[in-house]
Amino acid sequence: MSNYRKSFAPTKDGFQEVWDSMQDPSIEQLIAGIQSKKPTKEQMLEKIKYFRDSRSTLDTELYHLSDYAEDYNSLYAAKNTYHFGTTEGLQNRTRSQCKRWSDMLELTSPRFNKKAVPPGDEQSVYKASYLTQKPYEPDLWGPASYGTLVYDLKTELDFIVSHMEDGEHMCRDVMAREEEINNDPERKKQLYEKQYREEEERNQESIDDYCREGNICADNALYKKMLDYETRDDFINDNFHGPSSSQFARYVIVDSTLKSLQSDITPLEKRLLGFDFEKVLRVRKALSGLDDLLEAKPSGQFEPLGIVQLIRWCGVLPSTKNHHDNEREFYEKYLVPCYRGQHTWPAWNTIFTRRKDVGDDERQRKLDVACFEVKFGRVCGAEK
């Protein structure tokens, strides 16, 4: 039984120990390692079968690691959290690779000599194996002692090394992007706000229920932690990839509900316009003067172009599912019901068609916003 240490620290240095042991080993190193352990042919066959049967496991693990690497840095709060953060999370997703690699190293390490190790010390398998550039004398008979078994084992060794190298590349990429985001407070804030809006939209029914009841339990660990910070930006900056996605979702429900209850912004306004009281007040003021802000046809129906400019000026937040969903809801559930004048409104499809006619690019949106801002300033006596 081996007494080599096969575990490694759940840190970047721990990963480095494993990666440093990958040296693209040659057939000669493999032979030297096998000869040092002197396994029987039966033991060799058993090990080859073990590594060969592991191939599908390593393929699956690499596939899931690829998905994780693609999504992880696009989230403020990831699915799982770990004590040692990103590195520990990545190690949990490369366990099969590292296990097969350490097993291969153990097979090609000299028999463990307890007397050669000082009491209290550990000898790492990542430095003991002949596959890790340990000095060796070429075997006189080469692979002849084991025949094709050596080449079969080399095939499995190459398969494991290939997966380890791909895994290392993905892990390093995730850690590099993590460090880059950690040094960019504005990027962390963008990720926070994006995930906040998504969770708010996903849990809107619960938030609306709590708002109707007029009460919610604020005994939420993450919410109370946020209150300990001098500013919300400080909280956002310090807690990137701190909470899990489920913890963050509960925090959003509590925070969003309390914001609504502590102001007179309605849940619908907050979801469609955001939690900016000054912005909401300007929109409400515009809605109170629509007869003067919007032109109407002789039939008494508002002109679609003016409505397009109004909606864009209101700054409706984009939907996480479909960019135009929130604008349609704003029109049908907020703008039209709030109007108390005598004019009538065209159907949404008419508005949607008119918007496509005038263009939906960023430049056109800015022009429409500026055009309506002039009307708003003239009619409502407000500055930009």
Side-chain angles (χ1 to χ4, degrees):
M1 184 176 176
S2 171
N3 289 96
Y4 288 112
R5 175 178 62 79
K6 297 170 68 175
S7 62
F8 52 94
T11 62
K12 192 172 183 179
D13 288 342
F15 248 154
Q16 195 64 51
E17 180 184 16
V18 180
W19 292 335
D20 286 346
S21 68
M22 293 189 303
Q23 305 289 336
D24 193 18
S26 65
I27 186 74
E28 290 79 14
Q29 289 172 281
L30 179 60
I31 294 170
I34 293 172
Q35 292 288 27
S36 73
K37 190 63 66 74
K38 294 182 172 58
T40 65
K41 289 185 178 181
E42 288 74 17
Q43 289 173 326
M44 286 276 288
L45 281 168
E46 184 180 341
K47 283 295 184 181
I48 290 169
K49 183 179 185 304
Y50 163 69
F51 290 124
R52 188 168 291 159
D53 290 345
S54 300
R55 285 188 170 208
S56 61
T57 300
L58 296 184
D59 283 338
T60 301
E61 185 174 69
L62 199 60
Y63 173 78
H64 289 311
L65 178 61
S66 176
D67 277 353
Y68 179 81
E70 184 177 348
D71 294 340
Y72 181 71
N73 295 113
S74 64
L75 296 171
Y76 181 83
K79 183 177 181 180
N80 296 311
T81 60
Y82 300 92
H83 180 72
F84 289 95
T86 300
T87 305
E88 185 181 0
L90 289 169
Q91 288 184 6
N92 280 356
R93 284 161 177 79
T94 55
R95 281 177 294 191
S96 296
Q97 295 177 23
C98 294
K99 172 69 167 58
R100 276 33 173 216
W101 177 240
S102 64
D103 288 343
M104 184 67 78
L105 295 180
E106 185 180 42
L107 177 65
T108 53
S109 298
R111 293 188 180 278
F112 189 78
N113 184 357
K114 289 184 178 181
K115 295 181 181 179
V117 182
D121 284 358
E122 285 186 304
Q123 190 169 354
S124 167
V125 75
Y126 303 104
K127 296 179 180 178
S129 169
Y130 282 94
L131 302 183
T132 63
Q133 300 300 310
K134 183 182 176 73
Y136 66 95
E137 291 291 333
D139 184 68
L140 181 63
W141 302 103
S145 300
Y146 296 97
T148 59
L149 293 179
V150 170
Y151 293 101
D152 290 341
L153 186 62
K154 180 63 164 61
T155 299
E156 300 311 315
L157 170 61
D158 291 343
F159 186 86
I160 295 171
V161 170
S162 173
H163 279 61
M164 288 289 291
E165 289 175 343
D166 288 345
E168 176 188 359
H169 176 77
M170 282 186 270
C171 290
R172 286 189 183 280
D173 185 52
V174 169
M175 289 190 286
R177 283 185 287 151
E178 174 88 356
E179 184 175 356
E180 182 180 332
I181 296 172
N182 263 319
N183 292 324
D184 187 350
E186 187 58 35
R187 178 61 178 149
K188 283 187 278 190
K189 187 175 181 180
Q190 291 171 357
L191 292 174
Y192 170 91
E193 291 174 345
K194 178 177 180 292
Q195 193 165 353
Y196 191 105
R197 289 196 302 271
E198 291 172 348
E199 291 295 349
E200 201 171 32
E201 188 169 319
R202 190 178 294 114
N203 295 282
Q204 194 59 53
E205 188 174 339
S206 296
I207 294 171
D208 289 343
D209 288 342
Y210 284 123
C211 286
R212 279 192 293 270
E213 294 168 4
N215 186 36
I216 187 173
C217 177
D219 188 20
N220 175 269
L222 189 58
Y223 179 76
K224 290 192 288 187
K225 184 177 183 179
M226 184 271 294
L227 295 178
D228 289 336
Y229 281 83
E230 186 171 341
T231 68
R232 189 177 292 260
D233 283 352
D234 290 339
F235 165 75
I236 294 171
N237 189 57
D238 287 354
N239 289 278
F240 172 62
H241 280 170
S244 67
S245 56
S246 59
Q247 292 170 331
F248 189 76
R250 182 59 188 168
Y251 155 78
V252 170
I253 293 173
V254 173
D255 185 60
S256 181
T257 302
L258 289 174
K259 281 180 179 179
S260 295
L261 292 176
Q262 291 166 7
S263 74
D264 70 341
I265 296 180
T266 67
L268 183 64
E269 286 174 326
K270 180 163 63 62
R271 178 156 53 86
L272 299 177
L273 299 173
F275 195 81
D276 183 337
F277 195 50
E278 184 177 342
K279 173 184 174 181
V280 173
L281 287 178
R282 279 166 56 84
V283 171
R284 290 178 183 175
K285 192 170 185 178
L287 266 57
S288 68
L290 288 180
D291 285 340
D292 295 318
L293 288 168
L294 297 179
E295 294 182 9
K297 299 177 181 179
S299 63
Q301 187 179 81
F302 283 126
E303 287 280 2
L305 178 59
I307 298 172
V308 170
Q309 294 175 343
L310 166 62
I311 293 174
R312 288 175 173 174
W313 175 84
C314 288
V316 180
L317 299 177
S319 169
T320 56
K321 298 176 182 176
N322 186 311
H323 178 72
H324 302 307
D325 283 352
N326 279 3
E327 291 190 352
R328 177 171 186 167
E329 186 175 5
F330 175 77
Y331 179 70
E332 295 179 341
K333 295 185 179 180
Y334 186 76
L335 183 57
V336 175
C338 286
Y339 178 64
R340 295 293 180 267
Q342 300 301 313
H343 294 299
T344 59
W345 299 86
W348 169 254
N349 287 341
T350 303
I351 306 300
F352 190 77
T353 301
R354 191 71 180 93
R355 178 175 53 192
K356 288 194 295 184
D357 290 341
V358 300
D360 201 25
D361 58 275
E362 186 63 26
R363 178 178 175 276
Q364 184 61 48
R365 282 180 166 269
K366 288 181 178 179
L367 286 173
D368 288 336
V369 169
C371 181
F372 193 86
E373 183 66 36
V374 171
K375 297 178 186 177
F376 180 74
R378 183 179 66 248
V379 173
C380 299
E383 294 182 358
K384 201 169 183 176

